[in-house]
Structures are given as structure tokens and as C-alpha cells.
Amino acid sequence: MTAYVALLRAVNVGGTGKLPMTELAAMCEAAGFEQVKTYIASGNVIFTSGESERAVKAALEKAMEKYAGKPVGVMVRTAAEMAAVRDANPFPDAPGNRVVANFLDEAPPQDAIAQATNINGEEMALGKREIYIRYTDHGMADSKLKIPAAKTGTARNMNTVAKLAEMTAKL
């Protein structure tokens, strides 16, 4: 069995994509996942499965589309991958709530940072299948930063990444 983290895109953020975490947990259990636990109400769930990452992602996306009536992006990482994202944080001295990892399905294009617009003090770095962003003291809410390569991804701050890595390590 592999321990996984699934990160749903645009769930319970800004009043869109309402999904009670009890429903998300039930969907995961119905898909045959074990040791299911959710973390905060923004679409984070950990579980174990004997299936591949691709199969886990497909099962969750199918369940989410049935629930929401439209496609919902799902990023999946193993426990080891989530720990690696935490450990690879290129901005370790910045507060965890000011640095996000934007999770992608594939490696970001090498020109992803060069394609970013509306930069106002934010710093960026490419990860394996992530784009890291350090926001200024104004925070993410006031940022106008646009990263075309991150459009279909989903971001979690480093505090959340660290907690999810810790939780999956215990599965």
C-alpha cells in the first residue's frame, strides 16, 4: 500500500466548489482507499491505496466530476513526494504562510518563470512538478501575479505542505 496526498483544485475557496470534507472522505472510501483523513476544508485528503498514482487520480477525478457536475482538478503525490516538496522549499527562511508550492501534473516548462506577469516582489523557483512562489508581506490575497504554467495547478502554502507530509508519514 502506498500513502498518498490528493489536493483538489478550487474547493471551498472564495465561495466556489463547496465540498464538505466528510463527503470527500466518503468518496475516497467508496473508491477503495484506506486510512482516509482530510486536512482543513480546502480539499486536502490523505489515504493509502494499492493503486498507481494515475489510477488514484482518475478515480478521484471521476468521483469529483459526478459530485460537482463538472471536472475538478486533482493533484496526487506520494508521502515521499510530499516530503520532498517540503524539503526542497527554495525559500526556507520565509514564513510558511508566505511560500506556496503550486502543484502541477507534470514538470513545469523551463520558461514558466519568464512567462509570469504582474510580478510585484514575488520570487519564484521551479520544482520537480511544482512552482514555488514566495509572496511579499502583502501576501497572496493582494498579489496580481499570473503564471500561465500554473493555471491548471493547485497551490498549498508550506505550512500545509509540511502538515500533509507529516500526516502521510504516519500512514
Side-chain angles (χ1 to χ4, degrees):
M1 296 293 263
T2 301
Y4 288 106
V5 177
L7 309 168
L8 282 60
R9 185 173 186 277
V11 169
N12 297 342
V13 177
T16 62
K18 292 292 184 194
L19 172 65
M21 293 300 96
T22 53
E23 291 283 331
L24 176 57
M27 282 182 221
C28 289
E29 290 167 354
F33 306 152
E34 298 178 14
Q35 299 185 66
V36 177
K37 294 182 179 84
T38 61
Y39 176 67
I40 62 178
S42 57
N44 306 302
V45 61
I46 66 170
F47 51 86
T48 59
S49 175
E51 299 291 330
S52 69
E53 176 183 321
R54 179 171 285 174
V56 164
K57 177 181 172 62
L60 274 174
E61 286 180 340
K62 182 178 179 183
M64 286 304 305
E65 185 165 3
K66 183 177 178 184
Y67 177 85
K70 63 181 180 181
V72 174
V74 178
M75 303 298 143
V76 176
R77 298 295 189 272
T78 64
E81 287 172 323
M82 189 58 80
V85 170
R86 175 199 61 208
D87 296 346
N89 176 6
F91 310 109
D93 296 330
N97 65 339
R98 297 281 188 224
V99 178
V100 303
N102 193 304
F103 292 85
L104 309 170
D105 279 327
E106 299 176 1
Q110 290 301 307
D111 66 348
I113 293 171
Q115 297 297 318
T117 59
N118 300 328
I119 301 167
N120 185 20
E122 299 92 350
E123 294 179 81
M124 295 164 279
L126 301 181
K128 188 173 181 180
R129 290 193 293 164
E130 300 79 30
I131 299 174
Y132 293 92
I133 306 156
R134 187 201 59 79
Y135 289 93
T136 64
D137 291 339
H138 299 105
M140 185 189 302
D142 294 328
S143 176
K144 305 289 187 226
L145 179 66
K146 300 274 188 248
I147 308 171
K151 186 176 179 182
T152 60
T154 188
R156 299 296 187 273
N157 74 36
M158 294 311 293
N159 293 340
T160 298
V161 169
K163 183 64 177 178
L164 291 168
E166 175 189 320
M167 289 172 68
T168 53
K170 295 176 182 176
L171 292 182

